[in-house]
Amino acid sequence: QDCTQKYIVKNYFYYYLFKFSAALGEEIFYITFLPLTYWNIDHSVSRRMIIVWSIVMYIGQVSKDILKWPRPLSPPVVKLEMRTNAEYGMPSTHAMAATAISFSFFIATMNQYKYPFELGLAAAFVFSTLVCLSRLYTGMHTVLDVVGGALISAVLLMLLYPAWDMIDHSLLTSPFCPLLSIVVPLVLCYNYPKLDYYSPTRGDTTTILGAAAGATVGFWLNNQYPVPAHTSNSFQLGFPLATSMMVVVLARSFIGILVVLLTRWIMKSVVLGLLCYRYKFPIRDLEARRRLEVEVPYKFITYSSVGFTATVIVPLLHELLGLK
């Protein structure tokens, strides 16, 4: 069995570097970087990243609970994280997400923006490598978990790449897109593999699929009623932004993140309150919140609202405030 260990930090550079790198594979990164790409860089790039991210993460999360490979034992490993310790280890979804996001961003932008190919490739490699190494440093995964996660993600990326344009076109134009974007993820969440004991994987998967579902509905709606898009004409990677443009980007980012976080807080409170009333349990009852009939709608509704807000409400607010 794992046990909590005390430890002494001897190299604070590595400690903070890899703690920060580990955060690049967690919710706080997803909820900021993916929307920032949509608001400030290019809608098509953001759409492709979200498509790849949601598919890769779902497969990774389900694979963990099917394979049921344990995480490294502590001792001898010292674990610097506790929340995900209840999950199984293989594959590392941090490694999968980092590989999928960094390389899908690189592939989606390399033909649209003017920057050295080698620089983009190196940046994607460094980003994914730092996240992978952080999982070893924090004691959460073995080398096999990390390598397996990165390789699975790379294979999925290669398989999805030829269908990117077709998937993107369908998401924007199909009249069935809003319905399928909600129904399919919900079916997957309610039929998530059953475990012998509770782990955060089902909740995290519901969070990811919910955010992707809300964003996808937003993509479709924006295509029916176009809003100003930020494309290569307004934002060129590799060249310094003018001071005025930088101010606009910072303003868009600050307002957008504030609205997204506010949406998450409000929806969490409202949805959880309604579910507490429906199923008659105290709001602080953690065990009740882990039940299937509570956890799935609670997280799905909350994060689909976040995804929809980020892709529809925030751009409209930007336009209203003159931050196009």
Side-chain angles (χ1 to χ4, degrees), residues 48-269:
R48 283 161 171 75
M49 283 200 299
I50 290 173
I51 291 168
V52 172
W53 168 68
S54 58
I55 293 174
V56 164
M57 287 298 287
Y58 175 77
I59 292 174
Q61 295 285 76
V62 169
S63 298
K64 278 186 179 184
D65 291 331
I66 292 176
L67 294 174
K68 297 184 178 180
W69 287 21
R71 290 184 182 270
L73 292 178
S74 174
V77 166
V78 176
K79 295 187 176 180
L80 305 185
E81 297 178 13
M82 295 308 298
R83 179 187 176 275
T84 58
N85 196 38
E87 298 179 5
Y88 291 108
M90 177 68 174
S92 167
T93 46
H94 271 71
M96 293 184 72
T99 303
I101 288 176
S102 59
F103 281 93
S104 61
F105 181 82
F106 167 59
I107 294 170
T109 58
M110 65 181 181
N111 293 324
Q112 287 186 274
Y113 300 103
K114 296 178 181 179
Y115 63 85
F117 175 87
E118 296 79 7
L119 179 63
L121 182 62
F125 180 78
V126 168
F127 179 92
S128 56
T129 299
L130 281 175
V131 176
C132 290
L133 290 176
S134 74
R135 307 317 288 158
L136 303 179
Y137 183 87
T138 55
M140 302 311 297
H141 286 286
T142 65
V143 173
L144 185 58
D145 295 342
V146 169
V147 172
L151 288 177
I152 292 170
S153 188
V155 170
L156 290 171
L157 190 56
M158 288 189 291
L159 293 175
L160 289 169
Y161 176 70
W164 265 12
D165 291 338
M166 181 188 70
I167 295 172
D168 191 47
H169 180 73
S170 298
L171 290 180
L172 295 178
T173 60
S174 173
F176 303 106
C177 174
L179 179 63
L180 293 177
S181 296
I182 299 298
V183 172
V184 172
L186 272 176
V187 170
L188 293 176
C189 293
Y190 275 108
N191 290 277
Y192 193 83
K194 294 183 179 179
L195 299 177
D196 300 329
Y197 62 90
Y198 178 83
S199 88
T201 48
R202 184 182 65 202
D204 290 346
T205 304
T206 306
T207 294
I208 292 164
L209 294 184
T216 302
V217 172
F219 298 151
W220 181 87
L221 190 63
N222 286 340
N223 190 61
Q224 312 308 308
Y225 306 97
V227 296
H230 306 291
T231 63
S232 56
N233 292 327
S234 60
F235 186 90
Q236 289 290 338
L237 294 179
F239 294 95
L241 290 173
T243 303
S244 59
M245 184 60 185
M246 181 61 77
V247 171
V248 171
V249 168
L250 291 174
R252 278 201 299 251
S253 303
F254 176 77
I255 292 170
I257 291 174
L258 184 65
V259 172
V260 164
L261 293 178
L262 184 62
T263 300
R264 184 179 66 164
W265 177 73
I266 292 173
M267 293 308 297
K268 272 187 174 182
S269 303

Side-chain angles (χ1 to χ4, degrees), residues 29-43:
F29 174 73
Y30 304 144
I31 208 170
T32 53
F33 177 73
L34 294 176
L36 286 175
T37 306
Y38 190 78
W39 302 328
N40 296 312
I41 300 181
D42 193 296
H43 288 184

